[in-house]
Amino acid sequence: MSSPHHIQASTPAVDSTDWLRVTLASIGDGVITTDLSGRVTVMNPVAMVLTGWTLEDVAAGSGTGIQAVFNVVSQESRAGVENPVLRALRDGVSIEMAGQAVLIARGGTETAITGNAAPIRDAKGDIAGAVLVFRDVSGQKQARDALRESRARFDTLFDTSPVGMYALDAQFRLWKMSSKTRAVFGDIKDLIGRDFAEVLHILWTPEVAQEIAARFRHTLATGEPYKYTELSEIRKDRDVREHYDWELHRIELPDGQHGVVCYFLDVSARVLAQQAVRESETRYRRLFEAAKDGILILDAQTGKITAANAFMCNLTGMQAHEFLGKELYEIGMFKDIEENKAAFRDLQTSGYFRHDHLPLHNRVDDEVEVEFVANMYAEGDRMVAQCNIRDISERSRLEKALAAQAEALAVQARSKDDFLAMLSHELRNPLAPIRAAAHMMRLQEKGPGAAVNPVLQHAREVIERQVANLTRMVSDLSEVSRVISGRVRLEMQPVDLKRAVGHAIQTVSPLFDQRKHAVQVSLCAQPLWALADPVRLEEILVNVLNNAAKYTPDGGRVEVSCEHLTEGDRAFGLLRVKDNGVGIEESLLPRVFDLFTQADRSLARSSGGLGIGLSLARRLVALHDGSISARSDGPGKGSEFTIKLPLMVSQTDPDGVPSPLMITIDGAIGEPGTGNPKAPAVRVLVVDDNVDLVTMLCGALRHSGYVVQSAYNGPDGLSIAQLWQPDVALLDIGLPGLDGYELARRLRASESLPAKVHGQTRKAGGAARMILISVTGYGRDEDIIRAREAGFDGHMVKPCDFSKLEDMMAAPSFRI
């Protein structure tokens, strides 16, 4: 497109107005004339279209100035530019519009224009006005912009192409290259414009460089494209083998000459992956054939076998080719075709199937038990199922033998527990009347006007001590069985370890007194609150203290201490029991807490016991999340036991801590309890088939002021209770005719009958009720639970501590 017409100084105006109008209308450029003041006088149609003004609009009023009609801004900055007409009027010269300008029409339309303005002179040569000629160059601008954008896109695509690209010019110099190419060429500087043959010799050996250069020159000369698959050579600069796919094509460069473009793709990862796949397939085939499990490959759609390894052949007695095309039921697996199809449907649905004990019938009609595991996975473009079959016949046989052995051991364990329970019960039955008889002897010694016989008093004390020893051993047997089997229950609550130590020392004090031991107690100043079962905690401490008392010769020394220990952010209470007794041999220290383990038990050094106490203490400490340890410098040098228990976070004395129910198992013989009501009107029924126990217990109760009746079997006990309505009933469990549980249930069922409690008549439906206490040789957890369910208020294990029995009788609000 040519530039707008350049206008020179004009001659005087021609009178032919029509000729001028026709001429202006035929011009393809916009033409505007103005007078000397810059008011528009003439506009041709093109000018009116581009500016949005008409002659009528311009002529309205006193005329419109050129600045309003011809509103021009800079294309780049959008800032207004000096109107060329005004400058032509001012300077009297022709003005060319510099650069690209944008004409903003009256309606806001923008048009890229170029043009020039010139003054109009009259016959005298004076400036009479100006003429402006301009044209729409939007098409040219768009073409130029498109060309720039095209080149920019080309450069961007060339540079960011996922395929490496570079081009050579006609002189075999690098003309353009992508970012991938720069990365491949490495640290070579100033690549653009560099001779390509020189670059090749930097990267490759001379032979490879010459071969590549020859290919490029051939394509450049002939236009014949070239494609090379997997150029695999070792780079000189990197000392590694790289793999490329590349192509050469001749192209025409912007200067009209020919060049060569190279497209290449680094396929090193693909080549390495293919090598790895080949190696993996080799290893897989080797493992497949050498595996010690049977392996089958199935088609995932049909379920038919496509491969079988050698072990599978040995397992079934079939040859490898005989498996091909068969389904699993056809080679002896699964019961029939329907079971086979059901298993395969599960495999297709979830991608996994397992059968732990699947019978497999081989060719010799033997049944082999196998473990069958199948998984679905993709193999190339198809899905397959791999089945691993393991012969577990021997394992299954061992599992069955082990299960049978475990059942036999469980039966033995149950038999042992039953035996211990029965042994405990049978031992407690004779101990109960003996303890009651000793208690009667103690009461007689303190009666009014009683004369103390030193021989009888000593005999009574011996009986009490030995009954206590026997009772403790029976209790240990029952207790260790519960702890080992995990049936022990802990009633956890805040407990001050200092108080627990004091109670335990008080419990063991008769043994310390008997052995004439000096006991030194050292307790820390502040309370040590731990979350523990107070009964079990005292049991732990009593066992350790008993051990110190037994294994320290008469007149020895026992030191008991309690202290606070901090480790990191945790606090512990340390309870130590140290003696100067027989000590512990080094070989025995690791086993001192094992069940039934004792030190030397020769006749000269026997200390009695069953070797249960320390084992029981360790297990109970572990249930409290604590630890217990033993230390000794050797025989004759004493021993020290340390119990470590975690303390509560808050070390303040908790308010209102409830006392838990204390199920009395074996209390030591002591003075009558303060809870003895001494109320003559309190009536007590004793029901037990042990005549000696009934005689002794009833005598002790009567001596303490109770009104007592007795029975020796369940039916008689029920009749007496319903007629006599006692306040308290002490019932044995193993009663003839009607056991204690059933007797308690029937008594609870007849609670609507009126009865006297502590001398007051209880109306039917009243709040008071008969207190039922089971006094039995059965002390297992399940026995206590059954007693609670039957309606008992309390549970005591023979032989009873009479004072504790009185406390229990006087406290009708307690529960088991």
Side-chain angles (χ1 to χ4, degrees), residues 770-783:
M770 187 186 306
I771 298 174
L772 301 183
I773 300 173
S774 59
V775 182
T776 175
Y778 297 110
R780 296 177 301 179
D781 290 346
E782 52 264 40
D783 302 322

Side-chain angles (χ1 to χ4, degrees), residues 233-249:
E233 296 293 344
I234 296 179
R235 288 271 294 263
K236 286 171 56 179
D237 59 333
R238 297 179 181 173
D239 198 26
V240 295
R241 183 174 294 277
E242 295 185 347
H243 309 268
Y244 297 96
D245 286 352
W246 50 292
E247 295 183 26
L248 302 180
H249 296 273

Side-chain angles (χ1 to χ4, degrees), residues 139 391-392 433 737:
D391 185 352
I392 60 169

